[in-house]
Amino acid sequence: MTSSHTDCHFCLQSLRGRKFALREENAYCVPCYDSLYANPCQECKQPIECNSKDLAYKGRHWHEGCFRCAKCGRSLVEKPFAAKDEVLLCTECYSDEYSSKCFHCQKTIMPGSRKMEFQGSSWHESCFVCQYCQQPLGTKPLITKDNENYCVPCFEKQFAHRCYACKKVITSGGVTYHDQPWHKECFVCAGCKTQLSGQRFISKDEYPYCVDCFSRFYAKKCATCKKPITALGGAKYISFEERQWHGECFNCAKCSVSLVGQEFLTWQDDILCHQCGSA
């Protein structure tokens, strides 16, 4: 470079007819400029002189000939590259050493390409799609089944259970009754409509009833205590001539001895043990 500058700002030697470099409007001869301001090459540690091309990356500098892949030695000038622990690598070497593989296609996800992370695995953006409609999932809500991802509408269309009562999709929880799925809030007593999820209930004609409604509508009354016989919990009851008794109520009308499994006699509406009946 030649200019109207006459002397080197540092050594004060004449610049007339010589190449020089400018820095902050001051002129320097090439030797002075290189000794004062040339960056050291990250690879060979020699100064990058002002007549050489200085390639910089994250505050570090290289000669053009030194800017190479640390593994295969290929030049990285004007080529894509990646850095690992301050070491520069071409994309092929970086992929071989460090890149993750796509969970779907098992091919390497190249540095610089967009990838999706889900449940500890990586996907190419183009591979992270709904298994059914093949539309990109991106950051949309999704549901996974058998290691395949589905958008919510497709999953519901393909797999979701629908409530036996309201016919709408059951997205979580639910109750199974007579091999049919129900929303918890839809699984109610056929009589009083009280929710039965987690409660004791009795089936009648394929409909569930709470204990109170079943007792009121359907349960037979004990001939002794007149209370409903629900048979809940496996309770035993005795039936004789269209009358029923709780097991604990089936006693002799005179001496109150239990007649369960014993011979008994009847007199009018009473049942009697053999001894009381004979007397």
Side-chain angles (χ1 to χ4, degrees):
M1 180 182 295
T2 59
S3 167
S4 59
H5 290 85
T6 58
D7 299 321
C8 172
H9 183 71
F10 186 73
C11 70
L12 304 180
Q13 292 186 18
S14 174
L15 297 176
R16 199 175 299 275
R18 300 171 61 190
K19 289 183 178 181
F20 67 92
L22 289 174
R23 184 179 177 89
E24 297 177 356
E25 299 185 358
N26 294 317
Y28 297 84
C29 64
V30 171
C32 287
Y33 184 89
D34 288 342
S35 65
L36 292 173
Y37 301 115
N39 295 307
C41 175
Q42 185 72 23
E43 180 64 25
C44 70
K45 311 304 179 186
Q46 298 299 313
I48 303 173
E49 299 172 343
C50 66
N51 59 354
S52 299
K53 194 169 185 178
D54 185 333
L55 301 179
Y57 174 70
K58 290 189 174 181
R60 296 182 293 161
H61 300 264
W62 288 262
H63 289 106
E64 185 174 15
C66 295
F67 196 61
R68 297 178 177 276
C69 172
K71 185 175 181 183
C72 69
R74 285 183 290 183
S75 174
L76 299 177
V77 177
E78 296 183 357
K79 293 181 179 178
F81 64 90
K84 180 69 175 178
D85 299 329
E86 298 189 353
V87 175
L88 301 184
L89 298 168
C90 64
T91 53
E92 291 82 358
C93 290
Y94 183 90
S95 298
D96 291 341
E97 291 289 324
Y98 305 110
S99 290
S100 54
K101 293 187 181 299
C102 175
F103 183 85
H104 179 75
C105 70
Q106 294 302 306
K107 294 180 180 179
T108 299
I109 301 175
M110 300 297 288
S113 62
R114 189 173 181 185
K115 69 177 180 179
M116 309 302 296
E117 299 281 349
F118 179 65
Q119 292 184 345
S121 298
S122 302
W123 278 261
H124 291 110
E125 186 177 23
S126 58
C127 291
F128 194 60
V129 298
C130 170
Q131 179 66 19
Y132 185 74
C133 68
Q134 298 299 305
Q135 294 301 307
L137 289 170
T139 57
K140 298 177 183 176
L142 61 92
I143 301 173
T144 300
K145 179 178 174 61
D146 298 331
N147 288 330
E148 299 289 356
N149 300 320
Y150 298 84
C151 63
V152 174
C154 285
F155 182 86
E156 291 180 351
K157 185 186 299 182
Q158 290 294 104
F159 304 109
H161 294 296
R162 293 187 177 273
C163 177
Y164 182 78
C166 70
K167 310 306 179 186
K168 295 181 180 179
V169 169
I170 300 174
T171 56
S172 63
V175 176
T176 299
Y177 172 69
H178 282 324
D179 296 326
Q180 297 291 346
W182 302 61
H183 288 113
K184 288 184 178 180
E185 58 271 23
C186 293
F187 188 61
V188 298
C189 171
C192 66
K193 307 305 179 184
T194 300
Q195 287 191 20
L196 296 176
S197 178
Q199 307 297 319
R200 295 195 301 174
F201 64 91
I202 303 172
S203 296
K204 174 68 175 177
D205 299 328
E206 297 188 358
Y207 291 97
Y209 290 85
C210 66
V211 175
D212 289 342
C213 285
F214 183 85
S215 299
R216 185 166 65 251
F217 298 145
Y218 300 109
K220 299 180 183 299
K221 301 296 191 294
C222 175
T224 298
C225 70
K226 309 307 181 185
K227 294 180 180 179
I229 301 173
T230 63
L232 267 180
K236 294 182 179 179
Y237 71 97
I238 292 87
S239 179
F240 176 70
E241 293 183 348
E242 298 184 355
R243 290 187 294 168
Q244 289 79 31
W245 291 262
H246 293 110
E248 61 272 21
C249 295
F250 194 59
N251 302 322
C252 175
K254 289 189 175 182
C255 69
S256 299
V257 67
S258 175
L259 298 177
V260 177
Q262 306 297 320
E263 292 183 356
F264 62 90
L265 302 173
T266 61
W267 183 72
Q268 296 181 352
D269 290 334
D270 293 331
I271 54 172
L272 305 170
C273 65
H274 194 272
Q275 184 176 350
C276 293
S278 299

